Amino acid sequence: MAGPPSAPEVAALSDVGADAAGRVDTRADGLSAIFAPRSVAVLGVTPTPGTVPYDIFYNILSSGYQGTVFPVAPGKQSICAVRAYRYVLDIEGPVDLAVVVFPADVVERALEQCGRKGIRGAIVISAGFREVGAKGQAREERLKALCRQYGIAMIGPNCLGVINTDPAVRLNASFARKMPAAGRIAFLSQSGALCTAVLDYAREKQIGFSKFVSFGNKADVTEIELFEYLRHDPQTGVILLYLEEIRDGRRLIEAAQQVTRGEHPKPILAIKAGRTPQGADAAASHTGSLAGQDAICEAVFREAGILRVASIEEMFNAAVLYANQPLPAGNRLAIVTNAGGPGVMATDAAIRVGLRVPRLADASMARLRAALPAAANVKNPVDVIGDARADRYTAALEAVLDDPNVDQVLVILTPQSMTDIEAIAEGVCRIHRQAGKALACSFMGAADVGRGIRLLQEAGIPHYILPEWACEAMARVQTIRQWRGQPVGDTDRLPVDFAAARAILEEAPPGYLDEDRALAVLAAYGLPVPPHRLCSGPEEAVAFAEAHGYPAVLRVVSPQILHKSEVKGVALGLADAGMVRGAFQRMRHYVSAAVPRAEIRGLLVRRMIPAGHELILGAKRDPAFGPTVMFGLGGIYVELFEDVTFGLAPLGRATAARMLRQVRAGRLLEGLRGAPRADIENIQDCLVRLGQLAADFPRIVELDVNPLIAGPAEVGNAVADVRIRLAPQNASSQNPETEQSHGQE
Amino acid sequence: MDKSEVYRRVVGVVCRVLSVNEGLVEPDNHFVFDLGAESTQSIQLVAAFEAEFGIEIDEEAALGVQTVGAAADFIAAQLRMEDDG
C-alpha cells in the first residue's frame, strides 16, 4: 500500500454539493470521489511497464498522490512493491475511486464489483465501447445501467483519465507521461489523444492546470456535470473544452451560463469540432441548409458566454492571459517596443480586433521624455529605440502602467546586439508584480530570446511569439469582460391565437404545409401577414384585387408544388382586373401541364408588397439544441452572404435585439445614408413570436419566412413567402407546458 | 484422454504461463478478470496448450474461450475429434 496512512484534507469532498441541511448530493459526491479521492483502486493493473494498465498505476504512485492507492492485479502479489489484490472486494476499508483499465469485455464485471464495494466514482480508461459499433454500444449501455444501479459517477469509457494538481490531492489517474504544473486552467476534452498533445504543449510553455479531464465517450459524466463541478472548484479560474459531439445542447448552455455568469464567473473557451450530418431533405429550405449544428453552435455558445476558438493555440493564448493577469477595465492598450515596424504591426492588429491604442496622458509623455533619448517616440506605441537596454524598458513600462488612459500593456522586444534580453525580462517581471494591470509580452525570435521568454513564463506573464497573437488574446479577454455586462438570455411570451394555430398544425399531414395554411399559422401568432385569399376562379381573384388594390400577385397553392416559380406558379405586378384574369387562366394551364398530377387547391391572391429590405426569419428544431430561431438578410442574399445568426427558442425581445445587431444586415435596418429606418421593434417582435411558435409546436421541423419585407417604419413589415415543414404526427405535436399558458389576442 | 486429466494439465499450463498459484485456479476463472492474463499472454497460452496436448488450435475459435473450464472443454473436444478422425 502506498502513500501516507492518513486521508488528505480534501475540501471538495465536504464542500461540493452539500445543501443547507448538510445532505450531500450523491452526484456531487461521485464527482468529488473522482477528483479528490481519499483512496484509489486501479483495477486491471499488470506488471509490464509501458502498458496502459501499468503506467496508470505508476503515474498515481509517482505523482505525489496524497491518498492511498491499491492495485487490483489478479494473480500478482504486488505491483511496484505495493501489495496487490485479486478483486476490489478484497480491499479492506473503503475506496473512493476506481480506475478501471481491464480490457473492455471484463469492465462490466469490474464495475459491478465496484458498485458492491460502495465505490462512488469511477474512471473507465478502457476502449472498445460505443466507438467500435453495436457490440461496444451494448457494453456501454450495460455500464450506464450499473452506474445508475449503484450510484456511481463514471468518467469514460475510452479516455485518457483525470488529473488533479491540487496540492491536497495531486492525482494523476491518467496515462499522460507527466503530471502538469498546478495552475488555474481546467481542461476538458472528449479526445484523449489531444490531451497528451496539449499536456506536452503546455509543459513547454509552462502552463499549469487545476484539473485535466479526458471524458471520452461520456457515457455517464458529461461536460455538463463537469461544468457544474468546476463552477465550485476554487482552484479553477478558466475552463477550456474540446468537444466533438453535443447531445443535450439546452442543458449545456444552461450549465455554461451558470459558470460564465454567477457570483464568481469563470470564462469557458471551447473548440467544437465536427458537424452533425444533416438530413438531405433539410436542404429544401434555407433555414435547413444554413442551420447546420455548427452555425447554431456558434450563435448559442456566444449567448451562453462560451468563447468559441478554432485552435489549441488560440485557446491557450487567451486562457493564459485571463488566468494569470488582472481583468482589464477596458480595451485601451499601450505598446512599448524597441522596434518601429513591430510596433506599427501591433497597433494595426490591436485596432483590427477592437482594442484601442489611446493617446497617453500628458504627464506620462513628460515622464517618458525625461527617461528616453530624444529620438524615442513617447506617443503610443512607445518606441524606446533599438539600442534600448533594461533601464529604458523599465522606465517606459512604469510610465504607461501608471497612465490612467491605459488598461493593459504589451511589451515588444526584438533582439539586437546590445539588447540585454534577460535583464529586460527580469525588469518586466519585477514591475509586473506591483502593476495591477494586465501585461503581455512578445519577445520576437526564438533562440536568442528563449531564456528571456522562460523568465517571463515562470513569472506568469503571458508571452506570444507574434504581437498580433497578443492583441487577439487581449481582444478575447475583452469579449469575456463585455459578456459579463450583458443580460442573460430572456424569454417573452406574447399573446397569440394558439388554438387557431393548433387547429391547422394538428390536422396537417407531414411535409410542407400549403401556403394559405402556413400564412394562417403565422397570422395566428401575430406576424404581419398581408390580406390574401385562396381563390378557385378568376372572378373571385379580381374581386379581391379590386377591393385591396393593385398591383396584385397570384401564387399557386398545391401540396405537390413546393417551388412555385419553377412551374410558372407565381405572377407579379398584375396592374388591373384584366391582367389578374389573364394570369389566373394562364397559371392554371401552365401548372397543370408542368405537374399533371398536381392537385391545385386554388390561386392565392394578394396585393403586391412594396419594395423594402428582404429579410429571412426562420425556425428549426435542432437535434441537440431543440427549437432555434434564425435571422438574417433574405431573398437572393441568403446564399450570397449567409449573413445569418441564431438564437434558442423561445426568446425575449432583448435576445432578438442582440440577434439583429449580430448580422451586418442589422445596420441596413437602422437606415444607412439617409434611408428610412425600418420598423425594427416589429422585426424583433416577429422573432419572439416565431420562437414562441417553434417552441409551442415540436411538429414544426423547419420554418422559413423568406422574405419578410421590411419597409420604412411608417409602411411596416410584411410576410411575402413562408414555408413550414412538419414532422409526422405523434403525441408530442405540441408542447404540453405551453398548452395551458398561451395567450389569446 | 479423460476430461479430468485434460483439466489438470490445462491448470498446469495456466499456472506456468500466467505465473499464478495453482490453489487460486477454479474452473470458472476468467483468464483476464480472475487470473490477470495480459493480452500477449493469451497468445502464449494458446501456444502452450498446443505444445502440451500436441494439437493445433484455431486462433479465432480460441478467442471465444475465456475461462479455464471452457479451455479444458475446448481442448477435450478437439482431442476427441482427432481420435475420431
Side-chain angles (χ1 to χ4, degrees):
Chain A
M1 217 177 290
S6 61
E9 292 289 323
V10 178
L13 269 175
S14 56
D15 291 350
V16 174
D19 65 14
R23 290 183 298 260
V24 174
D25 178 284
T26 52
R27 220 37 207 172
D29 190 22
L31 285 168
S32 292
I34 289 169
F35 286 109
R38 287 163 296 195
S39 52
V40 181
V42 185
L43 283 71
V45 183
T46 58
T48 312
T51 60
V52 168
Y54 176 89
D55 285 0
I56 290 210
F57 178 72
Y58 182 80
N59 284 346
I60 296 174
L61 208 57
S62 61
S63 61
Y65 173 52
Q66 296 293 294
T68 308
V69 61
F70 306 98
V72 174
K76 308 293 176 294
Q77 293 297 310
S78 65
I79 303 284
C80 298
V82 181
R83 178 195 160 184
Y85 294 81
R86 188 176 195 190
Y87 302 114
V88 72
L89 290 167
D90 297 340
I91 297 170
E92 310 87 359
V95 173
D96 286 337
L97 171 66
V99 181
V100 182
V101 287
F102 272 122
D105 58 346
V106 293
V107 168
E108 194 182 333
R109 290 185 193 204
L111 197 64
E112 205 274 334
Q113 287 201 348
C114 292
R116 282 163 52 203
K117 175 77 181 161
I119 293 174
R120 307 309 305 274
I123 303 168
V124 178
I125 304 288
S126 324
F129 293 87
R130 192 163 61 94
E131 78 281 5
V132 298
K135 196 173 171 187
Q137 170 83 51
R139 273 188 193 133
E140 192 164 308
E141 291 303 321
R142 291 197 293 274
L143 295 193
K144 284 159 78 171
L146 283 170
C147 287
R148 281 193 299 273
Q149 183 185 345
Y150 289 105
I152 299 171
M154 177 183 74
I155 298 269
N158 186 29
C159 69
L160 180 91
V162 169
I163 297 174
N164 182 0
T165 61
D166 181 350
V169 182
R170 287 199 59 81
L171 176 69
N172 178 6
S174 81
F175 56 97
R177 290 168 74 92
K178 285 191 179 138
M179 179 87 163
R184 296 184 65 227
I185 297 172
F187 186 84
L188 317 176
S189 175
Q190 200 169 353
S191 158
L194 182 75
C195 288
T196 59
V198 162
L199 283 171
D200 194 46
Y201 170 93
R203 194 165 62 247
E204 173 63 23
K205 291 187 176 288
Q206 305 192 62
I207 298 169
F209 294 95
S210 57
K211 307 283 181 291
F212 201 94
V213 186
S214 155
F215 55 85
N217 293 4
K218 53 177 179 175
D220 183 53
V221 173
T222 68
E223 67 279 10
I224 297 167
E225 279 181 282
L226 292 171
F227 279 174
E228 284 161 4
Y229 180 84
L230 293 171
R231 181 156 74 97
H232 299 283
D233 180 35
Q235 277 82 34
T236 298
V238 51
I239 299 169
L240 308 186
L241 172 69
Y242 171 84
L243 198 58
E244 289 171 355
E245 170 207 18
I246 296 173
R247 290 191 202 142
D248 189 345
R250 288 288 167 143
R251 274 193 62 216
L252 174 70
I253 295 306
E254 283 163 18
Q257 278 174 336
Q258 297 277 317
V259 174
T260 59
R261 309 301 295 258
E263 204 180 333
H264 301 292
K266 300 174 184 183
I268 300 171
L269 289 94
I271 294 178
K272 164 67 182 71
R275 286 163 190 260
T276 299
Q278 302 297 307
D281 58 345
S285 84
H286 289 302
T287 309
S289 56
L290 292 166
Q293 196 181 71
D294 205 57
I296 294 173
C297 245
E298 189 81 33
V300 296
F301 271 24
R302 196 165 44 213
E303 276 292 302
I306 300 176
L307 265 181
R308 196 168 178 203
V309 291
S311 68
I312 292 292
E313 188 95 46
E314 242 180 84
M315 182 182 249
F316 279 99
N317 279 351
V320 165
L321 184 66
Y322 180 88
N324 297 313
Q325 297 295 304
L327 187 64
N331 65 351
R332 299 167 303 176
L333 170 70
I335 299 166
V336 176
T337 176
N338 68 346
V344 174
M345 284 162 64
T347 305
D348 285 347
I351 289 164
R352 193 179 62 241
V353 297
L355 299 172
R356 285 171 55 210
V357 183
R359 181 189 150 84
L360 298 175
D362 291 343
S364 307
M365 288 199 281
R367 268 175 78 178
L368 288 165
R369 255 185 230 107
L372 302 178
N377 180 12
V378 298
K379 292 177 185 165
N380 195 10
V382 177
D383 188 346
V384 293
I385 310 293
D387 62 351
R389 297 178 70 86
D391 56 334
R392 276 193 224 159
Y393 264 102
T394 307
L397 187 53
E398 282 173 340
V400 296
L401 280 168
D402 286 344
D403 191 302
N405 297 338
V406 172
D407 301 311
Q408 59 228 299
V409 178
L410 170 62
V411 177
I412 300 172
L413 176 147
T414 57
Q416 302 183 28
S417 61
M418 69 296 292
T419 312
D420 48 354
I421 300 164
E422 284 96 72
I424 293 169
E426 280 163 3
V428 172
C429 294
R430 184 166 36 78
I431 295 168
H432 164 251
R433 282 193 283 276
Q434 312 106 26
K437 286 183 183 175
L439 181 64
C441 291
S442 179
F443 282 20
M444 299 175 74
D448 285 351
V449 292
R451 284 192 58 197
I453 292 173
R454 195 147 283 272
L455 287 171
L456 296 170
Q457 288 171 334
E458 279 168 10
I461 299 171
H463 177 270
Y464 305 91
I465 292 295
L466 300 175
E468 293 89 331
W469 291 3
C471 294
E472 282 163 15
M474 287 173 169
R476 290 196 183 282
V477 171
Q478 285 303 305
T479 308
I480 292 165
R481 187 181 65 82
Q482 285 157 1
W483 156 253
R484 292 190 182 157
Q486 188 176 293
V488 188
D490 57 333
T491 305
D492 289 327
R493 186 148 187 95
L494 302 175
V496 296
D497 190 346
F498 177 83
R502 182 172 62 180
I504 297 165
L505 292 168
E506 272 190 349
E507 293 300 313
Y512 286 93
L513 208 54
D514 284 350
E515 185 174 349
D516 59 320
R517 290 171 180 147
L519 287 170
V521 169
L522 293 189
Y525 266 65
L527 275 92
V529 175
H532 59 276
R533 179 174 296 161
L534 185 65
C535 304
S536 51
E539 294 316 315
E540 192 183 355
V542 168
F544 182 91
E546 288 289 328
H548 289 84
Y550 294 98
V553 174
L554 279 180
R555 298 167 61 84
V556 69
V557 175
S558 163
Q560 287 79 33
I561 298 169
L562 181 62
H563 301 288
K564 295 178 171 65
S565 23
E566 286 173 13
V567 294
K568 296 188 178 171
V570 179
L572 305 172
L574 308 173
D576 55 35
M579 285 179 79
V580 170
R581 204 172 282 119
F584 199 104
Q585 282 157 347
R586 278 195 302 279
M587 190 178 290
R588 266 208 306 217
H589 173 75
Y590 285 137
V591 170
S592 301
V595 191
R597 63 184 176 84
E599 174 215 340
I600 299 173
R601 290 188 46 239
L603 304 193
L604 191 141
V605 61
R606 63 165 162 78
R607 190 176 180 180
M608 197 158 160
I609 301 163
H613 298 299
E614 294 195 359
L615 306 175
I616 182 168
L617 280 68
K620 180 179 189 279
R621 182 158 294 275
D622 180 81
F625 290 103
T628 61
V629 171
M630 183 180 83
F631 170 74
L633 204 53
I636 59 165
Y637 303 112
V638 177
E639 287 93 353
L640 191 60
F641 298 125
E642 291 196 6
D643 182 25
V644 293
T645 190
F646 297 86
L648 292 180
L651 68 161
R653 280 203 170 92
T655 306
R658 268 202 301 283
M659 287 176 70
L660 259 66
R661 287 195 297 271
Q662 281 163 5
V663 297
R664 277 164 286 172
R667 286 189 61 210
L668 277 177
L669 303 172
E670 297 283 352
L672 276 181
R673 296 196 174 188
R677 182 181 186 275
D679 186 353
I680 290 173
E681 292 69 27
N682 179 257
I683 298 168
Q684 294 166 1
D685 189 82
C686 288
L687 283 171
V688 173
R689 289 173 183 279
L690 274 189
Q692 201 168 317
L693 178 63
D696 286 354
F697 295 97
R699 266 200 88 190
I700 297 178
V701 180
E702 281 170 26
L703 184 160
D704 259 359
V705 175
N706 184 24
L708 176 90
I709 297 183
E714 62 274 16
V715 175
N717 307 314
V719 174
D721 197 1
V722 58
R723 279 179 197 168
I724 297 178
R725 188 160 72 91
L726 299 176
Q729 182 70 272
N730 58 36
S732 65
S733 61
Q734 73 215 25
N735 187 341
E737 285 176 24
T738 55
E739 203 172 359
Q740 301 302 318
S741 63
H742 61 81
Q744 294 284 332
E745 270 187 334
Chain B
M1 196 183 302
D2 128 317
K3 204 171 166 183
S4 62
E5 173 65 6
V6 173
Y7 178 74
R8 194 185 57 77
R9 285 169 64 179
V10 162
V11 170
V13 169
V14 167
C15 292
R16 200 168 62 244
V17 173
L18 301 185
S19 308
V20 291
N21 189 324
E22 195 175 323
L24 284 178
V25 182
E26 300 286 339
D28 63 351
N29 276 176
H30 190 286
F31 289 118
V32 176
F33 187 71
D34 300 296
L35 301 172
E38 293 187 60
S39 52
T40 51
Q41 288 177 317
S42 304
I43 301 158
Q44 289 168 10
L45 271 175
V46 171
F49 287 142
E50 286 178 336
E52 175 73 24
F53 295 100
I55 53 173
E56 245 182 66
I57 296 175
D58 176 62
E59 275 188 33
E60 213 150 297
L63 278 178
V65 178
Q66 295 182 336
T67 64
V68 177
D73 291 345
F74 181 86
I75 291 164
Q78 188 146 342
L79 289 170
R80 260 198 317 276
M81 272 196 313
E82 287 184 9
D83 284 349
D84 293 347

